Amino acid sequence: MPIVDEEPVPTPPGRAARVADLALRVAGGVVVVVAAVLTVVLELLLSAVRVGGYLIGVSALIAIGANIALSWFAHETVGTRWAVVLPALPWFAIMSVAAVRTDEGDLLLAGDNWVGLAMIVTGAMTFAVMGFRQILVPPAPPR
């Protein structure tokens, strides 16, 4: 009769390990939301950057890179498919507020500015693509 090596069945994590895991996931979610707020403020500040009197559009490139990084980090730290919503919600909320004129006439993101429009489109499309990728990818095996 052949001897079969069986892999030992891992014991389920204890209560302390589950609480620590949950705390780290919540902390990761908070970090992602704060980072999303900081990056959208940076993008808005850089949307008016000009070189030689011409808009250069660096904020649209930053929107793509930052939103990819935030979506990836959210998925890795929170560990769910819907985690892309955590950075996307504050990003969309702040962009919406920035596009509305105040009573005093101030406007952070003008509609007649190609950089602002490019930043909104590229940022929104980046979150859409990253969210769609999370839906299509099969779930990873449990760790």
Side-chain angles (χ1 to χ4, degrees):
M1 178 182 275
I3 299 176
V4 178
D5 288 333
E6 292 184 17
E7 293 183 24
V9 177
T11 59
R15 185 174 193 279
R18 288 192 310 264
V19 168
D21 182 58
L22 179 63
L24 285 174
R25 290 175 190 267
V26 169
V30 169
V31 167
V32 165
V33 170
V34 170
V37 169
L38 292 176
T39 58
V40 75
V41 169
L42 176 67
E43 293 163 18
L44 286 169
L45 289 173
L46 294 177
S47 67
V49 172
R50 296 175 183 267
V51 173
Y54 296 101
L55 292 167
I56 60 172
V58 70
S59 62
L61 298 175
I62 291 174
I64 294 170
N67 292 353
I68 289 172
L70 289 170
S71 299
W72 172 83
F73 185 75
H75 177 69
E76 289 295 316
T77 57
V78 177
T80 61
R81 292 179 180 218
W82 61 267
V84 72
V85 172
L86 291 174
L89 280 179
W91 191 88
F92 283 114
I94 294 174
M95 282 294 178
S96 298
V97 170
V100 175
R101 189 172 302 276
T102 64
D103 292 337
E104 293 82 21
D106 298 332
L107 185 63
L108 292 175
L109 192 59
D112 61 350
N113 179 342
W114 74 267
V115 175
L117 295 174
M119 183 175 56
I120 290 172
V121 169
T122 58
M125 289 302 296
T126 302
F127 279 128
V129 168
M130 294 301 287
F132 191 65
R133 283 190 64 219
Q134 292 307 320
I135 292 170
L136 291 181
V137 174
R143 296 179 197 175

